[in-house]
Amino acid sequence: MSTSLSTPSLSTPSPGAVVPAVQGFDRIEELVPGERGVGVRNVPATLPAFDHHFPRHPILPGVLLLESMATLGKAVAGSERGWRLAGVRGVRFKHFVGPGDQVRITVEVIGRTEHSTDVRATAEVEGRVVAAARVLTLVSAEKPWEGTA
């Protein structure tokens, strides 16, 4: 008698379903390992970056938005190994993100090899695309950096 255990994928969570936490996100709406993820991040007015970027017109630095995209991409790529961001192509910042905004980030896997995963990511505020990354390349943290032993 052979039984196979499969790990259920998490898509639209049912009420009471346990959704894995992803650091930096307030809510994960969808997480299908190896395929897709959707997360929501609230942007508080108390974020230290707003003290200097820019005091009279606070704007979330694009690198923090990109970091959120990569973090969700790492969760989608899978937790069986550590991942690090190795490359970014085709990033566009279209609108400002400020205090009080709720950013909805969507990440989709578009390519995968043994040691890397490529994802496409978009960030929206109130249904309006504020940033998009055509390709974020994540590589296994176990793989040494190029040019190192």
Side-chain angles (χ1 to χ4, degrees), residues 4-147:
S4 66
L5 298 175
S6 63
T7 306
S9 64
L10 182 65
S11 55
T12 306
S14 60
V18 177
V19 179
V22 177
Q23 185 176 358
F25 284 85
D26 296 293
R27 182 174 73 242
I28 299 299
E29 294 180 347
E30 180 180 354
L31 185 61
V32 182
E35 292 180 29
R36 174 181 164 82
V38 179
V40 175
R41 177 181 179 189
N42 295 317
V43 182
T46 57
L47 200 62
F50 292 139
D51 293 342
H52 304 287
H53 199 269
F54 298 97
R56 292 185 182 165
H57 183 66
I59 298 169
L60 183 71
V63 70
L64 295 182
L65 199 53
L66 190 60
E67 178 186 29
S68 294
M69 292 175 172
T71 299
L72 185 57
K74 292 173 188 179
V76 170
S79 60
E80 70 276 357
R81 68 174 77 182
W83 297 95
R84 62 180 164 80
L85 182 63
V88 178
R89 289 192 309 255
V91 176
R92 298 196 62 159
F93 297 101
K94 300 178 178 192
H95 301 283
F96 296 126
V97 176
D101 285 341
Q102 187 174 68
V103 183
R104 184 174 192 264
I105 296 175
T106 304
V107 173
E108 296 176 356
V109 174
I110 57 173
R112 190 169 199 144
T113 65
E114 183 180 351
H115 294 288
S116 71
T117 300
D118 289 338
V119 299
R120 175 182 305 126
T122 58
E124 299 176 349
V125 173
E126 296 178 358
R128 181 182 191 185
V129 175
V130 295
R134 194 175 32 169
V135 181
L136 300 177
T137 300
L138 306 169
V139 297
S140 170
E142 299 161 0
K143 185 179 176 188
W145 292 72
E146 281 188 31

